[in-house]
Amino acid sequence: QVHLVESGGGLMQAGSSLTLSCSASGGFFERLNIGWFRQAPPGNEREFVAAVNWNRGGVRYGDSVTGRFTISRDNAQNTVRLQMINLKPGDTGVYYCASYRGAWGRPLLTRPEDYDFWGQGTQVTVAS
C-alpha cells in the first residue's frame, strides 16, 4: 500500500509560479513511477499533467503544460515536485499525484486507470 500526500496548492494570479509536492510512504519509492493529474470541475475526467519514471527520471508531459511545468523526483526524500510557471486560469483544478510500479521497458503511462494509488489532491486556483 502506497500512501501519497499532495501539498502546495493555493490561489494564484495568472502568470505566477507555484510548486506542488507529493510525498510518498508505504512503498518502495525508488521503484515507483509517479504522475500528476488534475481535475476541473469535480466529476470531469482527470487530465494527465506530467509523470516521472522510476529509473533515471525520464519524464513525460501533457500537451497543455509542456514548456511551463517541470516534474522532478528526490528519492532521498520520497518526494516528487511539480514546478509550474506562467500559470493560466485553465490550470485551475484539483491536482492529484498517483503511482504505479515501474518496470524495465515499461513506458510512462498517461491514463488515470493505469495508476494504482492516489493522493487526496490539492486545489490550485488561478485568477485572471
Side-chain angles (χ1 to χ4, degrees):
Q1 186 81 12
V2 177
H3 184 57
L4 302 170
V5 179
E6 303 92 339
S7 62
L11 174 61
M12 311 299 294
Q13 293 297 314
S16 62
S17 301
L18 185 67
T19 297
L20 305 181
S21 295
C22 172
S23 297
S25 61
F28 192 23
F29 183 77
E30 291 83 353
R31 289 301 303 267
L32 295 177
N33 290 345
I34 305 290
W36 283 96
F37 292 80
R38 64 189 182 192
Q39 185 177 35
N44 272 17
E45 183 174 345
R46 294 183 181 182
E47 175 192 4
F48 172 74
V49 174
V52 59
N53 192 282
W54 69 280
N55 180 38
R56 300 179 183 176
V59 298
R60 187 172 182 179
Y61 296 97
D63 291 341
S64 62
V65 306
T66 298
R68 298 188 299 120
F69 290 12
T70 302
I71 189 171
S72 62
R73 67 186 298 153
D74 183 343
N75 286 348
Q77 297 190 350
N78 284 12
T79 298
V80 169
R81 294 181 177 86
L82 184 69
Q83 296 174 282
M84 306 183 292
I85 65 171
N86 191 21
L87 285 166
K88 303 176 180 181
D91 295 320
T92 294
V94 178
Y95 282 70
Y96 298 91
C97 66
S99 71
Y100 67 97
R101 186 172 177 82
W104 292 104
R106 191 177 188 186
L108 283 171
L109 302 177
T110 63
R111 300 185 310 169
E113 56 264 39
D114 291 323
Y115 286 71
D116 300 318
F117 298 100
W118 291 80
Q120 293 299 306
T122 186
Q123 176 72 44
V124 174
T125 302
V126 183
S128 58

